[in-house]
């Protein structure tokens, strides 16, 4: 906890140690400022911040938003749409080669299929997917009554889509990490790594910046020539969290912990993590490192996913594509069509008359 004594506002042992370390490493004025921010952040993350409105307002608001989220997420198109968006991030971050290799390994290697799921669960993938749904629905799906049962059934498809997305991202990241380690060990020259950059530099950057392996784990893996089970769990955890997003407070802006705002932040939470991933592993790779392949993968996957989602909507609702277009777009297309056809009409009239062209 934050305090060992709530009455005297005395910090707990671990918080006191952290505050003392700040006093030792920073100038007094700077330490005081950082400690104030830290205490405020800890209070937000632990739910200790004071409520400014009566409890029944929070309860009513969370109930309404939770019910709305359950209904929205229960749509038949929500799971496939979520699956396509998640796979777009996985493809952009790890590449088609790693994805295909991971799928091939899952199909052909029963031992890897079994063990990888154990590593995946240790990495928190299964729990993170359900946590995202529970957060969005204000924990309505956790209630032990008919409302909770209904919420669980209505969001079953979305929960399964989350699990599949995170598992795919986890094994794809692991397969690419193993390929990167092989490159660093001289066993492979460029497998699954950008051909426009130095293979060993790209491999090191992937493990240390994208997967964020610690110095200790990274150099130990190089010396050993392989990853430990703990390494693999950590790699899979990082792979699904950076591509599919997390709901934990420490990964989100502090305002997202507000009880009135939290239920409204399902897609904002995903977008926050996804935006960070796209910037660091797609845009920065192209801008700073001169490697356009992640950006090309992202553009291609985003376009294909968007087109597939459009196709799903058109066919699911059996409504012509024209009805989904904005009024301004329809008006412009009608105008252009009229101008285009009008030219040929005028030319035909002139051609069939005695008027010279």
């Amino acid at each position: 906890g934050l305090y060992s004594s709530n009455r005297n506002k005395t910090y707990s042992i671990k918080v006191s140690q952290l505050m003392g370390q700040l006093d030792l490493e920073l100038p007094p004025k700077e330490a005081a400022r950082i400690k104030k921010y830290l205490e405020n952040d800890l209070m937000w993350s632990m739910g200790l911040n004071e409520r400014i409105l009566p409890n029944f307002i929070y309860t009513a608001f969370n109930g309404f938003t939770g019910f709305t989220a359950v209904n929205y997420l229960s749509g038949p198109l929500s799971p496939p749409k979520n699956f396509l968006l998640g796979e777009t991030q996985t493809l952009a971050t790890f590449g088609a080669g790693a994805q295909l290799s991971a799928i091939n390994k899952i199909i052909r290697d029963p031992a890897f299929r079994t063990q990888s799921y154990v590593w995946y669960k240790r990495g928190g993938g299964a729990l993170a997917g359900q946590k995202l749904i529970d957060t969005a629905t204000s924990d309505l799906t956790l209630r032990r009554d008919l409302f909770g049962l209904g919420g669980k059934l209505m969001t079953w498809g979305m929960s399964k889509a989350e699990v599949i997305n995170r598992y795919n991202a986890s094994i794809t990241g692991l397969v690419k990490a193993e390929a990167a380690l092989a490159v660093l060990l001289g066993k492979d020259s460029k497998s699954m790594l950008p051909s426009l950059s130095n293979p060993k530099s790209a491999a090191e950057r992937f493990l240390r910046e994208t997967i964020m392996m610690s110095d200790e784990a990274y150099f130990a893996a190089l010396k050993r020539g392989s990853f430990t089970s703990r390494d693999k769990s950590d790699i899979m955890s990082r792979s699904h969290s950076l591509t599919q997003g997390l709901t934990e407070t420490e990964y989100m802006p502090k305002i997202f912990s507000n009880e009135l705002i939290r239920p409204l932040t399902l897609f904002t939470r995903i977008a926050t993590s996804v935006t960070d991933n796209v910037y660091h592993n797609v845009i920065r790779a192209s801008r700073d490192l001169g490697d356009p392949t992640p950006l090309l993968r992202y553009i291609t996957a985003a376009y294909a996913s968007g087109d597939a989602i459009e196709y799903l909507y058109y066919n699911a609702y059996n409504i012509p594509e024209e009805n989904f277009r904005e009024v301004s777009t329809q008006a412009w297309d009608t105008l252009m069509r009229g101008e285009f056809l009008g030219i040929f009409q005028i030319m035909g009239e002139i051609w069939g008359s005695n008027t010279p062209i």
Side-chain angles (χ1 to χ4, degrees):
L2 178 60
Y3 301 114
S4 60
S5 173
N6 288 330
R7 177 178 297 178
N8 299 324
K9 299 294 183 182
T10 303
Y11 292 130
S12 62
I13 295 176
K14 289 188 177 180
V15 176
S16 295
Q17 291 174 344
L18 183 58
M19 295 295 187
Q21 187 174 354
L22 290 174
D23 286 330
L24 290 173
E25 297 183 3
L26 297 174
K29 188 175 181 180
E30 185 71 7
R33 185 177 68 85
I34 298 298
K35 285 164 66 175
K36 183 178 180 181
Y37 280 125
L38 177 60
E39 180 178 4
N40 190 259
D41 286 346
L42 289 172
M43 290 184 68
W44 272 98
S45 63
M46 296 178 184
L48 300 176
N49 50 298
E50 296 182 1
R51 292 181 168 185
I52 59 175
L53 297 173
N55 288 340
F56 76 89
I57 294 181
Y58 292 95
T59 302
F61 184 78
N62 286 346
F64 173 75
T65 54
F67 178 77
T68 304
V70 165
N71 278 275
Y72 184 77
L73 295 176
S74 67
L77 297 183
S78 294
K81 182 169 66 173
N82 189 68
F83 172 78
L84 289 170
L85 294 174
E87 290 304 297
T88 295
Q89 290 297 316
T90 300
L91 176 62
T93 306
F94 302 126
Q99 272 192 315
L100 293 175
S101 295
I103 293 171
N104 181 63
K105 202 168 184 179
I106 285 293
I107 295 173
R108 294 176 176 271
D109 190 345
F112 175 78
R113 184 166 60 244
T114 301
Q115 191 60 51
S116 65
Y117 194 70
V118 174
W119 296 326
Y120 165 69
K121 289 198 295 184
R122 285 179 185 170
L127 292 176
Q130 185 59 47
K131 178 82 179 295
L132 193 67
I133 305 300
D134 294 338
T135 301
T137 58
S138 302
D139 297 331
L140 180 63
T141 53
L142 298 180
R143 290 178 52 165
R144 297 180 179 275
D145 54 20
L146 289 178
F147 289 104
L149 177 61
K152 183 72 72 176
L153 291 174
M154 292 173 74
T155 57
W156 182 86
M158 275 291 292
S159 298
K160 294 304 177 185
E162 272 292 319
V163 169
I164 293 171
N165 274 343
R166 289 178 186 276
Y167 182 61
N168 288 346
S170 296
I171 59 173
T172 302
L174 177 60
V175 166
K176 185 160 184 177
E178 289 177 333
L181 182 61
V183 169
L184 291 170
L185 295 174
K187 298 178 181 179
D188 196 340
S189 61
K190 61 178 182 178
S191 177
M192 300 181 207
L193 294 165
S195 59
L196 298 180
S197 59
N198 182 287
K200 287 197 173 184
S201 296
E204 182 180 0
R205 187 168 63 250
F206 177 77
L207 292 176
R208 305 196 70 179
E209 295 184 16
T210 302
I211 299 300
M212 290 187 174
M213 289 188 72
S214 66
D215 291 343
E216 181 181 358
Y218 174 76
F219 288 112
L222 285 179
K223 183 177 180 180
R224 193 171 47 246
S226 63
F227 294 123
T228 63
S229 293
R230 174 62 184 271
D231 290 336
K232 292 176 179 179
S233 292
D234 290 345
I235 290 168
M236 294 179 80
S237 176
R238 176 62 181 162
S239 297
H240 79 75
S241 62
L242 71 92
T243 57
Q244 311 302 317
L246 288 175
T247 63
E248 277 68 18
T249 303
E250 57 267 28
Y251 293 97
M252 296 289 114
K254 189 167 65 176
I255 190 64
F256 285 11
S257 298
N258 186 286
E259 289 185 83
L260 293 178
I261 295 175
R262 186 175 70 109
L264 304 176
T265 61
L266 169 61
F267 297 108
T268 308
R269 284 170 180 269
I270 297 174
T272 300
S273 297
V274 167
T275 301
D276 180 76
N277 178 51
V278 170
Y279 172 74
H280 283 97
N281 298 310
V282 175
I283 295 176
R284 197 170 67 86
S286 177
R287 185 193 66 192
D288 299 344
L289 306 175
D291 178 18
T293 51
L295 183 59
L296 293 174
R297 290 198 303 260
Y298 181 66
I299 292 172
T300 303
Y303 179 83
S305 296
D307 198 51
I309 292 171
E310 273 192 316
Y311 180 81
L312 283 174
Y313 274 112
Y314 300 151
N315 286 274
Y317 294 106
N318 196 27
I319 297 176
E321 178 181 350
E322 185 74 16
N323 291 6
F324 280 90
R325 306 169 78 185
E326 295 181 355
V327 175
S328 58
T329 303
Q330 294 184 45
W332 177 255
D333 287 350
T334 302
L335 177 63
M336 294 302 294
R337 189 182 302 112
E339 291 291 335
F340 184 73
L341 295 176
I343 292 174
F344 286 96
Q345 180 182 356
I346 294 171
M347 289 177 64
E349 291 176 352
I350 294 175
W351 186 265
S353 67
N354 295 325
T355 306
I357 295 179

